[in-house]
Amino acid sequence: MQRRVFGLAVTLATVVAAAGCGSSSSGAGDSASSGGTTQVKVGVIPIVDVAPLYLGQKKGFFTKRGIDLKMETAQGGAAIVPGVVSGQFQFGFSNVTSLMIAQTKGVPIKSVVNGVATNGKIGADVTGVAVKKDSSIKSAKDLVGKTVAVNTLQNIGDTTVRESVRKAGGDPSKVKFVEMPFDQMPAALDGGQVDAAWMGEPALTIAKGQGASVVASPFAETDPKLTAATYFTSTQLLQQKPDLVKKFTAAMTESLEYASQHPDEARQMLTGYTKISGPVLKELTLPAWPTEIDMASLQKLASLGEQDGIFGGKKPDLNALFS
């Protein structure tokens, strides 16, 4: 059912683009205020990864370029892609696998700036597979035959979890995945609804606060420099408003650089768009926020996606999508 929902979302995006409905020129990106600024909506996921975007907004990196930034949240990249193509958002934040899947289905999108990367630390990465206290699961190999929660099926989560299982000597085809929002995972894990959960921050730290432990770090184990997500737009907006895209890209690049240099400020931004504070805020793990996309890691991720069959027999054109 969940896989069909994802397929429907991508199909909708394709139909909208083909019909010429959802023109980016009719979206909020067209409306300028009396101050000469353009309102720009960005589809995001409420996780630590997007902290630089909020920090850049606070520091005025977008405002000084004439951009009035508005963020709207979604469960994952698979839900954000149709919103960008339809013109609901001018830009979106998405894991790179969602973008690859969309491209192989003919969805007209283009990555414009890096978003987030693994910090490369196994056991202390920004995402991890967690199990509850006293679980019999001690390593990725033990996930065979178990149920693992991910935020979106057939995507970067289950693809990298399978790679962790494969590297640990297990059969990844025998892991069962279920779809669940990140913020629901700690309670589901603690309540025994799932055997394990692949979580991003702050959900991962919340789960660890409940006694959970991390048995795998799929991003870091897949590639220590893995580019996990980027900000993207529709090819239509890119063609119609290239100056707006350039301004957004420049502002986002400055935001990534600032967040990397001021991690405590980036951490503090989470209090504005998540419900976390106190010990969780201090303890959560930060990702890396490089300005450059690591193409070698994307090639590896694309190969894994092909191996898992998530591209429907097609190969994503990484150069067209990311460079």
Side-chain angles (χ1 to χ4, degrees):
M1 171 66 179
Q2 290 146 329
R3 296 185 182 187
R4 290 198 297 270
V5 170
F6 168 71
L8 177 61
V10 176
T11 301
L12 174 60
T14 307
V15 170
V16 167
C21 298
S23 166
S24 297
S25 63
S26 63
D30 254 353
S31 58
S33 69
S34 57
T37 60
T38 301
Q39 186 182 92
V40 169
K41 291 184 179 179
V42 186
V44 297
I45 311 166
I47 54 178
V48 65
D49 302 27
V50 297
L53 180 68
Y54 287 86
L55 184 55
Q57 180 189 44
K58 180 182 178 181
K59 302 303 292 187
F61 300 155
F62 293 89
T63 303
K64 72 180 182 181
R65 293 177 171 89
I67 295 176
D68 176 20
L69 207 58
K70 303 293 182 184
M71 274 73 89
E72 295 188 15
T73 60
Q75 181 171 326
I80 294 172
V81 170
V84 169
V85 175
S86 70
Q88 177 186 355
F89 312 129
Q90 281 66 57
F91 300 92
F93 174 88
S94 172
N95 75 78
V96 292
T97 297
S98 282
L99 298 182
M100 293 180 198
I101 292 172
Q103 190 206 48
T104 60
K105 292 182 179 291
V107 180
I109 54 174
K110 172 79 174 181
S111 172
V112 295
V113 64
N114 199 20
V116 71
T118 173
N119 63 26
K121 300 175 183 177
I122 295 176
D125 199 7
V126 71
T127 70
V129 177
V131 298
K132 67 183 300 184
K133 185 178 180 180
D134 300 326
S135 172
S136 61
I137 301 171
K138 305 300 181 185
S139 71
K141 185 177 181 179
D142 298 331
L143 295 173
V144 173
K146 300 296 192 290
T147 299
V148 181
V150 292
N151 71 318
T152 307
L153 290 170
Q154 289 189 295
N155 217 286
I156 194 170
D158 46 14
T159 292
T160 54
V161 170
R162 288 190 186 97
E163 179 65 358
S164 289
V165 172
R166 190 178 292 114
K167 285 189 171 182
D171 183 352
S173 68
K174 295 183 179 179
V175 180
K176 179 183 178 182
F177 293 97
V178 295
E179 189 170 272
M180 183 181 298
F182 283 129
D183 61 2
Q184 294 180 17
M185 291 183 188
L189 183 64
D190 194 52
Q193 293 173 244
V194 292
D195 300 309
W198 172 74
M199 305 184 201
E201 292 285 19
L204 187 57
T205 293
I206 292 172
K208 287 191 287 187
Q210 297 172 346
S213 59
V214 175
V215 297
S217 300
F219 280 2
E221 289 164 2
T222 296
D223 191 299
K225 295 183 178 181
L226 182 71
T227 293
T230 66
Y231 292 88
F232 70 101
T233 191
S234 66
T235 56
Q236 187 170 24
L237 183 68
L238 187 62
Q239 294 166 358
Q240 294 181 348
K241 297 184 178 295
D243 287 343
L244 178 62
V245 175
K246 288 179 181 178
K247 290 176 181 178
F248 178 86
T249 299
M252 195 63 238
T253 298
E254 187 174 4
S255 300
L256 292 169
E257 292 173 342
Y258 190 88
S260 296
Q261 296 166 5
H262 302 83
D264 290 339
E265 288 187 50
R267 184 187 299 272
Q268 192 61 37
M269 293 309 300
L270 272 78
T271 61
Y273 65 92
T274 70
K275 298 178 181 179
I276 69 166
S277 60
V280 173
L281 183 66
K282 294 179 181 179
E283 295 172 11
L284 64 81
T285 301
L286 296 180
W289 287 303
T291 57
E292 298 296 325
I293 292 172
D294 189 285
M295 292 299 291
S297 71
L298 294 186
Q299 185 58 61
K300 183 180 294 186
L301 194 59
S303 295
L304 292 174
E306 289 176 45
Q307 187 174 333
D308 289 340
I310 65 175
F311 300 133
K314 297 182 179 179
K315 290 186 177 183
D317 186 342
L318 301 185
N319 289 327
L321 183 57
F322 296 105
S323 63

